[in-house]
Amino acid sequence: MIARAAAGPLRRLVVLRHAKSAWPDGVPDHERPLAPRGRRDAPAAGRALADADCLPDLALCSTAVRARRTWELAAAEWGTPPPVRHDPGLYAATVPELLEAVRDVPAEVGTLLLIGHNPGLEELVLTLAGDGLGDALDDVRVKFPTSAIAVLAWHGGDWTALGPRAALLTDMIVPRGKKPSRKKPGGESPGPGPGPGESPGPG
């Protein structure tokens, strides 16, 4: 159940998990690039946001390479991309840290795009959503995969008023780019994944 609605204009928090990343040998987690699928899915995410009329006034993006590249490819699908802040604090951020970043956004921003990592983003959506339309909330509980988009709508005078169960989850989308018609021998494996003893880092 949504907490008591606050007075103020309608605001939207659009949460985008970075696109599928690769696991090159010897590359630190923060520097991992997008995998081929991620390079297809990130533009699809940009198109999905445009189709849903969810283009942001401001974007907050993790400094991890996979998040920055997701932003670049998604924003390239729009005529005039909005300003973006690359915040190192969004890498491996917890829900309180994510909320702190969101609450620091100027009041004139009506739609905010947040690009980062799991498990923080999934937990943030479930914390803020007091209810959801259709199966959106159940879908997030099952899985919030790479390139997934969650749209949270709420009313508030400024972003400091956003808190647990204050928002309605209006949509959950998982955009996917079109696969190439021909594959190279061996397919498009992003790599073997983290090796023994290696931390996978935030998803």
Side-chain angles (χ1 to χ4, degrees), residues 47-135:
R47 293 191 293 272
L49 289 174
D51 291 345
D53 195 24
C54 280
L55 297 187
D57 302 309
L58 174 69
L60 300 181
C61 184
S62 161
T63 53
V65 169
R66 55 192 182 277
R68 293 175 66 106
R69 189 61 179 144
T70 298
W71 157 252
E72 291 166 359
L73 292 173
E77 298 294 315
W78 311 331
T80 305
V84 58
R85 295 181 185 173
H86 292 102
D87 185 347
L90 298 180
Y91 175 70
T94 63
V95 169
E97 291 167 338
L98 291 168
L99 261 179
E100 182 179 359
V102 168
R103 287 169 173 165
D104 195 40
V105 169
E108 58 265 27
V109 173
T111 298
L112 174 67
L113 175 63
L114 178 64
I115 307 171
H117 312 266
N118 260 4
L121 291 188
E122 179 178 330
E123 293 171 353
L124 177 69
V125 172
L126 295 177
T127 296
L128 297 179
D131 204 350
L133 296 182
D135 296 328

